[in-house]
Amino acid sequence: MDANSILAELGIAKLADGGDMDVASPITGAVIGRVKTHGEKDVDAALARARTAFAQWRDVPAPRRGELVRLLGNRLREKKDALGRLVSLEAGKILQEGLGEVQEMIDICDFAVGLSRQLYGLTIASERPGHRMAESWHPVGVCTVISAFNFPVAVWSWNAALALVCGNAVVWKPSEKTPLTALAVDRIMQDAIAEFGSAPAGLTSLIIGGREAGAQLVADPRSDIVSATGSTAMGRAVGVEVARRFGRSILELGGNNAGIVSKSADPELALRGILFSAVGTAGQRCTSLRRLFVHESVYDDTVARLKTFYAKVPIGNPLEKGTLMGPLIDAQAFSRMQQALQQAKDEGGTVTGGERVEVKGCEQGFYVRPALVEMPAQTPVVLTETFAPILYVLRYSDFDDAIAANNAASHGLSSCAFTNDLREAERFLSAAGSDCGIANVNIGPSGAEIGGAFGGEKETGGGRESGSDAWKGYMRRATNTVNYSSELPLAQGIDFSIG
Ligand code: UN1
């Protein structure tokens, strides 16, 4: 299937043509669409419509709101193949991962439909006779979603599916690198809304644009919740701006994720886990494995096995069967990778791989061999997140030192330990263990399921999306006390009687 037939199948052929912004595929560098960008007035109108829609949507019973998300999930099932291909085409990830991303959308829709009947609050024992205390959860308003190129559709769905069942309206600004997949998802959403029949106009909308559009959305107090995925620099700006107006932000920023390979690790399993997390998605997941601490007794063997695989990992057109690694997103990503590798050498590292690879028919794409870099210590480059397939490998002798090394990064998204030693595994997961939002044993740091809360600590931003009770981030809590007695006892036994 070529680009045009995918766009036609997704019903966006017209929208992907005749606009003012070119969209290039990282696979070949060729322009695959020209989309229309939105300006200040469009952003203003989207927020105004979303506020009006919210005022109606909050009154729709949550299980009925779930019905809309169920229809969205059904349509995603129908379009999974075409949308998965478009994700590959526009973001450059291999087809398996493009399809996997759409599957994540379907999964979160299922999760949200169930959730629409489970937005539970607590009942709380009152200290006063004839009183009842309880918590109610209410929608907040407009949830503005800002997403990155590397998960161009799933991130929207983690936020939107929850935000919608929770009773909010949703405005989405995707990365300017991936507007086509966003247009396709918006089209699917609008079709689901049409089928649903009674959703208010403007309940979900899409803003295509760059930095200015994002800044406008973030600064506007009508964006009650801002859920932003991207770099720490972006998150710092967003977080401060939203805090300035006491808005709510859900930040999912970078990760400098580490893994530990202990002396008791299953070598085969560890190798497979490391490869998927370090090489998969060409190292462009925020959960990608970037630092590896290997016990000195298994270091040489582990590094030798990794080097063998790194030399033969199938790099190529991500739409072709058998490819495991597609291109980097663009020239800038390539030059950042090369700069990091140079810095690593300057800081005493030994680099294997990392060079540009020519792929027949895709000469304009930025394909690279993944880089394995043996480092003497956690130098500044190791402690910097570079969004590229670079794996820094270091030796350790004491497990607690490896945990400390894991925690030395300024980010705190994901982490893992490969070990068959129960004491090590539990220590890694304990309060004295990994300080990340995700801590795994015997699987890599990437590829999380939607059922868990997704996000991390420190410079990762602290937000949580997706499963568990992340839905609470999209609702406001009201504590209600009802007095059904004929007395008015005061809390804390205060006597306030007159005369
Ligand atoms: C991201 O890279 O922004 O756990 C998200 C994972 C995916 C999500 C990655 N489920 O790797």
Side-chain angles (χ1 to χ4, degrees):
M1 242 201 294
D2 64 358
N4 287 339
S5 48
I6 297 174
L7 296 174
E9 160 137 19
L10 291 165
I12 56 160
K14 276 211 187 97
L15 288 173
D17 196 20
D20 54 319
M21 186 172 81
D22 282 354
V23 188
S25 167
I27 300 178
T28 56
V31 171
I32 52 171
R34 283 191 183 81
V35 300
K36 184 180 161 309
T37 54
H38 294 113
E40 208 180 314
K41 283 202 179 104
D42 301 309
V43 172
D44 184 63
L47 284 171
R49 272 156 48 94
R51 287 301 306 190
T52 309
F54 163 63
Q56 293 175 44
W57 191 240
R58 68 184 170 194
D59 286 339
V60 175
R64 174 84 184 124
R65 299 193 297 243
E67 179 66 12
L68 172 59
V69 175
R70 195 174 68 78
L71 297 176
L72 171 66
N74 288 350
R75 282 173 184 272
L76 287 168
R77 279 183 171 84
E78 283 165 24
K79 300 287 183 194
K80 180 176 170 181
D81 191 63
L83 186 57
R85 274 173 202 280
L86 188 59
V87 168
S88 281
L89 204 58
E90 198 179 39
K93 55 175 82 176
I94 60 169
L95 184 55
Q96 276 299 309
E97 293 192 49
L99 295 170
E101 182 166 349
V102 182
Q103 187 58 46
E104 275 199 73
M105 302 179 80
I106 295 167
D107 294 342
I108 194 70
C109 285
D110 284 355
F111 180 92
V113 175
L115 186 64
S116 71
R117 290 181 183 271
Q118 300 175 82
L119 302 170
Y120 301 140
L122 298 171
T123 55
I124 299 158
S126 170
E127 66 190 52
R128 288 169 282 184
H131 283 58
R132 184 173 68 78
M133 269 175 85
E135 279 179 356
S136 310
W137 290 90
H138 300 301
V140 178
V142 177
C143 177
T144 291
V145 180
I146 296 177
S147 60
F149 80 85
N150 66 327
F151 272 79
V153 290
V155 169
W156 170 80
S157 69
W158 301 341
N159 287 282
L162 297 197
L164 286 170
V165 298
C166 289
N168 303 290
V170 179
V171 176
W172 180 19
K173 196 202 89 61
S175 161
E176 56 265 54
K177 291 176 186 161
T178 53
L180 294 177
T181 41
L183 283 167
V185 169
D186 185 58
R187 176 65 206 264
I188 293 169
M189 183 76 228
Q190 298 311 328
D191 287 347
I193 285 177
E195 187 181 353
F196 182 77
S198 58
L203 182 62
T204 69
S205 53
L206 177 65
I207 294 294
I208 305 285
R211 218 169 247 274
E212 313 74 59
Q216 190 186 342
L217 282 166
V218 166
D220 196 309
R222 289 173 296 180
S223 292
D224 301 275
I225 305 170
V226 176
S227 177
T229 301
S231 69
T232 293
M234 177 278 285
R236 190 167 274 128
V238 168
V240 169
E241 191 59 39
V242 176
R244 201 191 299 282
R245 57 178 174 78
F246 299 101
R248 193 184 290 196
S249 55
I250 299 172
L251 300 177
E252 205 272 277
L253 311 175
N256 193 355
N257 317 293
I260 300 173
V261 181
S262 129
K263 56 178 179 290
S264 72
D266 175 333
E268 207 47 50
L269 186 143
L271 184 73
R272 284 170 48 205
I274 293 164
L275 291 173
F276 175 69
S277 289
V279 172
T281 333
Q284 299 173 113
R285 285 194 193 212
C286 55
T287 50
S288 289
L289 179 63
R290 311 201 181 282
R291 300 177 295 139
L292 191 67
F293 306 106
V294 187
H295 189 263
E296 54 192 4
S297 63
V298 292
Y299 182 90
D300 291 342
D301 187 49
T302 306
V303 170
R305 282 158 167 272
L306 281 169
K307 278 188 183 163
T308 308
F309 187 88
Y310 267 51
K312 64 175 193 206
V313 55
I315 301 161
N317 185 329
L319 287 164
E320 272 169 22
K321 231 182 149 160
T323 301
L324 289 187
M325 207 179 133
L328 295 176
I329 188 70
D330 55 20
Q332 198 186 35
F334 175 72
S335 71
R336 284 198 183 130
M337 176 177 179
Q338 298 310 310
Q339 278 163 21
L341 292 176
Q342 185 54 50
Q343 189 182 341
K345 283 183 197 157
D346 295 345
E347 292 175 4
T350 309
V351 177
T352 309
E355 70 279 8
R356 191 159 175 189
V357 173
E358 191 157 306
V359 173
K360 240 181 166 279
C362 304
E363 285 76 10
Q364 303 305 312
F366 288 89
Y367 295 81
V368 289
R369 184 149 299 283
L372 194 84
V373 185
E374 292 183 77
M375 291 300 294
Q378 290 214 83
T379 60
V381 76
V382 179
L383 290 171
T384 306
E385 179 198 30
T386 301
F387 221 59
I390 302 176
L391 181 63
Y392 300 106
V393 191
L394 293 95
R395 220 178 263 272
Y396 81 87
S397 54
D398 176 70
F399 193 74
D400 278 345
D401 289 347
I403 292 178
N406 175 80
N407 294 349
S410 55
H411 294 99
L413 179 53
S414 192
S415 58
C416 69
F418 292 95
T419 177
N420 280 334
D421 180 328
L422 179 72
R423 287 181 180 157
E424 286 181 347
E426 290 294 334
R427 183 141 181 88
F428 182 72
L429 303 179
S430 76
S434 164
D435 64 1
C436 295
I438 299 171
N440 297 333
V441 170
N442 288 337
I443 60 168
S446 68
E449 302 175 20
I450 59 92
F454 183 84
E457 304 303 326
K458 302 192 292 187
E459 289 192 4
T460 300
R464 292 296 186 278
E465 296 169 344
S466 210
S468 183
D469 65 351
W471 62 270
K472 290 178 177 168
Y474 304 83
M475 300 200 91
R476 64 184 174 83
R477 179 196 326 239
T479 302
N480 310 132
T481 308
V482 177
N483 175 7
Y484 58 91
S485 74
S486 50
E487 304 298 319
L488 194 71
L490 297 177
Q492 297 90 43
I494 291 172
D495 181 3
F496 204 72
S497 46
I498 303 165

